[in-house]
Amino acid sequence: MWKQTNASVLIKETKILKFRAVNENPYHLSVGVILKTEEGWYVLHRRDDVYSCVTGTVDDNESLEECVHREVMEEMGVTCSIDSYAGGTICTVTDQRGTFQKTTVWFVCTKTSEYGMRTDDLDASVVEIPEEGLCIVDTDLPRWPTHINVFSKK
C-alpha cells in the first residue's frame, strides 16, 4: 500500500513480508533486473563510482513478474517489458537480521517509458551506460555483500 504525502513523495508502509528474511524464516526471495534501453545501453544505479542493477524483495501474493515491474518503477521511475529469464543466484548472507539464504531470480528487461517519479529511498542516481563502458568489480563490498551485479567504469 502506498500513501501520498504533502511533499508529493510516495512512502511505502512498513510491513513484514513472507519472502523477507527474519529469524523465524531464514529465507529471502528477490528479483534482479538487467535493464537496458532499446539502444542496448544499461540502466543502472550509481552510488559514487559503483553501478548496480535493480533488485528487490518479492511482496506477499506478488508474482516474480509483478515484482520486476514494481521494482523497476520504484527504483528507476520507468516501465519495462520482460524480455527473458536470465538465471538465478543463491547465497548465504549474514547481516543484522542473522544468517539467511537469499535467492535472486534475474530477468533481462527493456525500458519502455521515459523517466518519471521514483518512489524508492535509495541514495543513488539513475544512469545509462553502454556495455563496453562497464566491468564487473569485486562484489565483497560492505554495501552490496550479496550482489553479483556491481560494476565500475572501465
Side-chain angles (χ1 to χ4, degrees):
M1 162 138 326
W2 294 91
K3 290 184 178 178
Q4 184 74 33
T5 67
N6 292 335
S8 296
V9 175
L10 296 173
I11 298 174
K12 193 171 186 179
E13 291 182 358
T14 303
K15 63 180 180 176
I16 302 299
L17 302 173
K18 65 183 174 185
F19 298 118
R20 185 179 310 274
V22 292
N23 288 336
E24 302 79 37
N25 180 39
Y27 305 100
H28 190 99
L29 179 61
S30 62
V31 297
V33 180
I34 302 162
L35 184 62
K36 298 178 96 175
T37 65
E38 289 183 359
E39 298 77 30
W41 288 42
Y42 288 91
V43 181
L44 301 167
H45 294 296
R46 178 181 180 191
R47 294 175 186 91
D48 301 318
D49 288 328
V50 178
Y51 302 81
S52 63
C53 297
V54 172
T55 58
T57 301
V58 177
D59 281 348
D60 292 353
N61 302 313
E62 181 178 52
S63 70
L64 295 175
E65 293 83 0
E66 289 168 333
C67 185
V68 165
H69 291 291
R70 178 180 54 78
E71 288 294 340
V72 168
M73 178 55 73
E74 287 177 9
E75 295 187 17
M76 299 300 192
V78 298
T79 58
C80 70
S81 62
I82 297 175
D83 302 327
S84 64
Y85 167 72
T89 56
I90 300 173
C91 59
T92 300
V93 177
T94 300
D95 67 10
Q96 70 277 5
R97 295 171 287 183
T99 299
F100 59 93
Q101 181 186 61
K102 180 176 182 180
T103 301
T104 303
V105 181
W106 289 90
F107 295 86
V108 176
C109 299
T110 300
K111 177 175 96 75
T112 57
S113 71
E114 295 302 315
Y115 294 98
M117 181 183 291
R118 291 170 47 197
T119 59
D120 64 14
D121 58 358
L122 298 173
D123 60 342
S125 57
V126 176
V127 296
E128 293 181 1
I129 299 177
E131 181 176 2
E132 61 272 9
L134 293 174
C135 63
I136 295 176
V137 298
D138 180 6
T139 59
D140 201 19
L141 300 169
R143 189 166 191 142
W144 295 278
T146 64
H147 294 162
I148 61 163
N149 63 328
V150 179
F151 305 91
S152 69
K153 285 186 178 179
K154 282 188 177 177

